[in-house]
Amino acid sequence: MMSLRSKALALVEVLLRVPPLFVVDEFLKISLGLPVSSGEEVSVLSNVTVDHVDVTEADVNYYDANFYNAFLFTFFKFVICCLGCMSSLCVFVLYTKHLIIVYLYLMSLGIVFVSYWTNVSAIKQIQALTLAASTPYPSPSILEDILNLNIKNLLDLDGPGVLVIQNFSIQFALAFLFKNVHLGPRNQTIQKLLPISFMAPSFLAMLPVPPNLLHHSPVFSSLLPLFLVKYVLWTSAYSIVQVIYTGYQHGRLFVSNYGLSALVETEWMRLNVPCVLRVFWVLRVAEHAILLLMDNYDDDNEEVLKVSTLLAVQSLASMAKSLLVTGCETITAVLGMTSVISFFCHYIGNFFQWILLTDEEEDKSIGTVSAILFYILALQTGLTSLNPEKRFIRLCRNFCLLFTALLHFLHNIVNPMLMSLSASHNPSTHRHVRALGVCAFLIMFPISLLVYLWSQHSISTWLLAVSAFSIEVIVKVVVSLMIYSLFLIDAYRSTFWEQLDDYVYYIRAFGNTIEFCFGIFLFFNGAWILLFESGGAIRAVMMCIHAYFNIWCEARAGWSVFMKRRTAVNKINSLREASSDQLNRLDDVCAICYQEMHSAKITRCNHFFHGVCLRKWLYVQDRCPLCHDILYKIDNDPNKDNNSEAGNEENSNNQNLLLEEEPDLFLGDGVR
């Protein structure tokens, strides 16, 4: 019961934070009041420019005045929109108790305006009926009908009686709501006067009062509730400033103690931003869907009833296209779509983890990274600034890029499991079948996607990027399967396989080289897009990040692995090779892998190890695994430090190399 109650309260809190996002979204729809290519302001300014061409020199001052007025008007709208966005965001980050107070105040203010305009509309209709009846005062007839209990005239749909009764009922309901939600003083006299104030125009409409008094009665009826609303605003000004200052102090203290990232993470979790964005986007799309359905229904009801199934499917496809286009027309809408995509990607990760029977936390990173990738793609391609047709095409292309990136994330899930299954000699056949099935999907789906895209689209930079990502994931899966096969063969061997390390290294080097080449290709592909298709600061920044992390860092890491491996090989080759007689007299196993030795290297301290095992050990440190003596020493080398600190430093520098190149080093066949 408590769980259900907590979920309901969480849902209510999420719903309370959605309206500020709609307000920000409406401001962004009008581009914060700035002129756009199809906006009203641009047409005004363009008309001024055209007039300037036709006017004489005597009218130059007139043109300057018009331009100055248009500029001031646009600037004023921009400032108002910015203030509105800032206010909405401030409301969004409020605590729940303060958020409820804000909504109660806005609700009371809205009730006052609804009451005023309802009274104005009712009085206008009553006076219009009076003029149509050519009688100076309608009220005596209403009062007489009430006194004479003339129900027929009172309930006449064309008479003023129904309007008075209807307005009386509406004002009574509004007065009841206002009494319960307003934040002003709850004085008994004021509470009793509020219903009278709301319903005063309805009472006056039944009395023989002059038309001018009846016309201005809605203004007088709204004075008391409006006074209460203004009183609350003035008396709460200090509390508002205090809440803002307290929030600023809290944020400043939190940042000084824990850092800005901790503050952002804490507030992100407190506000439940992903869930709020998802609810906002779903409600926004639902609103557009309802409007589209109403428009289609109003166009031609008879044709809708006679439409064929094919036309119905086409209509649904057109509707889905329209919803996708309108669902990413502003930054807030893109954020909402990003949250929805993250939600689906998270459960896609969960689905594949369920297939693989694993419980790792990789699915959470799938949702997060997918959201970040989609949002960066949207900003990089200028999704919100495109016209609807181009926006839909760009959105589909971004989805293709996202799908290929999702395949890479799925490979990151299945690859460790393949290595674990092969190295641990797991007898569970169905787990092997599940992992291999996912690998088959990761190969077949990109191939099918490439066949479809190349058959339906002409060559372009976007198609080349999708192809590069798809081929790259195929290569990564093939490399994983080859290493999986080698480990599986080694697991079923009864003797030690010395060449296994070399084979694994060459296969991984091949895969890493292919990925590095694709990274360079994608860099040049992005440079072409930046220079000749669609530039932008975001694209330039992302290219710099790609060049540093995916090209420079990968090249440096690969070269470091190669040099350290070559150094280790040279060190091993400098050691003596054990003869068969020495191995027979030793009659022992390798102290690193606990496997029988058919060939071995002899260290300076006369210890025997497999050459491959000793080479892997040298990735970590230069000391003997048994006696910790120096395994390899170069004479006359002033830079070589033989003390323990040097050994520890090399140990720390080479730990990552060992884990990256051979993660199953210390599993050993004895462990297996």
Side-chain angles (χ1 to χ4, degrees), residues 629-657:
D629 191 12
I630 298 298
L631 290 174
Y632 181 78
K633 186 193 305 184
I634 300 178
D635 297 332
N636 300 326
D637 187 358
N639 296 324
K640 183 69 176 178
D641 186 5
N642 294 327
N643 58 25
S644 60
E645 294 181 359
N648 292 333
E649 181 178 359
E650 186 172 1
N651 177 20
S652 62
N653 291 334
N654 294 329
Q655 288 280 355
N656 293 333
L657 171 66

Side-chain angles (χ1 to χ4, degrees), residues 222-236:
S222 62
L223 290 179
L224 178 60
L226 194 61
F227 168 77
L228 290 176
V229 171
K230 290 187 175 181
Y231 175 81
V232 171
L233 182 62
W234 284 107
T235 54
S236 303

Side-chain angles (χ1 to χ4, degrees), residues 64-109:
D64 291 339
N66 283 344
F67 181 82
Y68 181 72
N69 292 334
F71 174 77
L72 285 181
F73 181 68
T74 303
F75 179 75
F76 178 75
K77 285 175 56 178
F78 174 72
V79 172
I80 294 299
C81 291
C82 290
L83 291 177
C85 289
M86 292 177 61
S87 301
S88 300
L89 293 177
C90 289
V91 172
F92 178 80
V93 300
L94 288 176
Y95 284 93
T96 305
K97 60 178 181 179
H98 297 140
L99 197 60
I100 293 175
I101 293 175
V102 170
Y103 281 129
L104 288 176
Y105 178 80
L106 293 177
M107 188 182 299
S108 61
L109 183 62

